[in-house]
Amino acid sequence: VQLQASGGGLVEAGGSLRLSCVGVGSIFRIDGMGWYRQAPGKQRELVASITSGDSTTYADSVKGRFTISRNNAKNTVYLQMNSLKPEDTAVYYCNAEVTYYTGLMYNRNDYWGQGTQVTVSS
C-alpha cells in the first residue's frame, strides 16, 4: 500500500492550488484521511481531516480558505486551497488509515504520502 500525493507548486499570494492523494495497493477500506504540513523549522501540523462519513475538521489558520474532500471509489483525498498566503508555504503530507488484504488476512495501518511542496510567494 502506498499513498501518492501530487498537486503542489509555486503560486502567488491569493492564488489557489488543489492537492490530490491516491491510495494504491491491496486496499480494502480507508477510514480517516487527512492533510498535514511541515514548514522549515516547525513541527508537522494537522491542516484538515475527513472521516469515512465525510465529517471534516480544519486548523483555525485555514478555515474558510481550504476544503478537504474525498472520493472513496478512487481511494483519493483532495485539498482545495484558496486565498493562499505566504505562511501556507510548507511540505504537505497526506495521511490515511488503511485496512488492506495481505492474501491471508486483513490488517490495518496508518500510511503517509511522500509530501508535496507548496510555496506561496508574496
Side-chain angles (χ1 to χ4, degrees), residues 7-122:
L10 173 64
V11 65
E12 292 184 350
S16 299
L17 284 173
R18 188 191 194 211
L19 305 183
S20 300
C21 176
V22 59
V24 297
S26 300
I27 296 172
F28 173 70
R29 184 183 70 242
I30 299 180
D31 295 311
M33 306 181 82
W35 287 96
Y36 292 72
R37 66 187 181 188
Q38 187 166 19
K42 295 188 177 182
Q43 289 187 331
R44 189 173 297 189
E45 63 173 357
L46 175 66
V47 176
S49 64
I50 185 168
T51 68
S52 57
D54 288 338
S55 294
T56 58
T57 59
Y58 295 93
D60 288 342
S61 59
V62 307
K63 283 181 181 177
R65 300 188 297 122
F66 291 10
T67 302
I68 189 170
S69 61
R70 63 190 288 169
N71 184 325
N72 293 327
K74 295 183 178 181
N75 291 329
T76 302
V77 62
Y78 306 96
L79 186 68
Q80 178 65 44
M81 305 186 293
N82 299 328
S83 302
L84 282 161
K85 304 175 181 180
E87 50 264 44
D88 295 318
T89 295
V91 177
Y92 284 69
Y93 298 91
C94 57
N95 173 270
E97 301 165 342
V98 180
T99 299
Y100 60 95
Y101 185 60
T102 69
L104 295 175
M105 65 181 69
Y106 291 95
N107 281 340
R108 190 169 183 269
N109 208 346
D110 202 50
Y111 288 90
W112 291 89
Q114 80 280 14
T116 183
Q117 176 71 46
V118 171
T119 303
V120 184
S121 62
S122 57

